[in-house]
Amino acid sequence: MIGPERITELRALLAKGSAGPWDTSVDARGTAVFGGGDMVTLCRHVAAGHQARANAELIAAMRNAIPELLDEIVRLQFEVVKEKAGRLNAERIAK
């Protein structure tokens, strides 16, 4: 399970990195990943062919999805805590 410390750590990394959203652009050298107007990395097209482009697109997509995924983790964890508290209250009332 991803705990609060890990979520805080990941949010801090997001804050330090280039602003989103990230995107990709293909040229003769490879597929570049851009964030906040800056080139973040370049996945070079060598023997891997389309694999470099797929890797770059994955990097950009995951960077863009991480804030929403972290929010959803926190929301679901809160729901689990609420559900457990509700069950404990129901058990106490039943006794």
Side-chain angles (χ1 to χ4, degrees):
M1 179 168 111
I2 295 179
E5 297 84 15
R6 183 68 173 143
I7 290 172
T8 299
E9 177 186 333
L10 291 170
R11 288 191 194 279
L13 288 171
L14 285 169
K16 290 178 187 177
S18 296
W22 286 17
D23 202 0
T24 60
S25 178
V26 180
D27 67 18
R29 299 173 298 157
T31 302
V33 178
F34 289 90
D38 298 320
M39 186 168 73
V40 176
T41 192
L42 175 67
C43 295
R44 294 197 176 273
H45 296 172
V46 283
H50 292 292
Q51 190 66 46
R53 183 174 183 172
N55 289 341
E57 289 171 351
L58 175 63
I59 291 166
M62 293 307 298
R63 165 51 182 91
N64 294 335
I66 286 173
E68 185 178 353
L69 293 171
L70 293 175
D71 290 345
E72 184 66 5
I73 289 168
V74 170
R75 185 190 72 75
L76 290 171
Q77 288 174 340
F78 180 71
E79 289 296 320
V80 167
V81 169
K82 278 183 14 182
E83 176 66 29
K84 286 181 181 179
R87 263 186 289 160
L88 288 174
N89 280 337
E91 288 173 8
R92 276 190 236 151
I93 291 170
K95 288 182 180 179

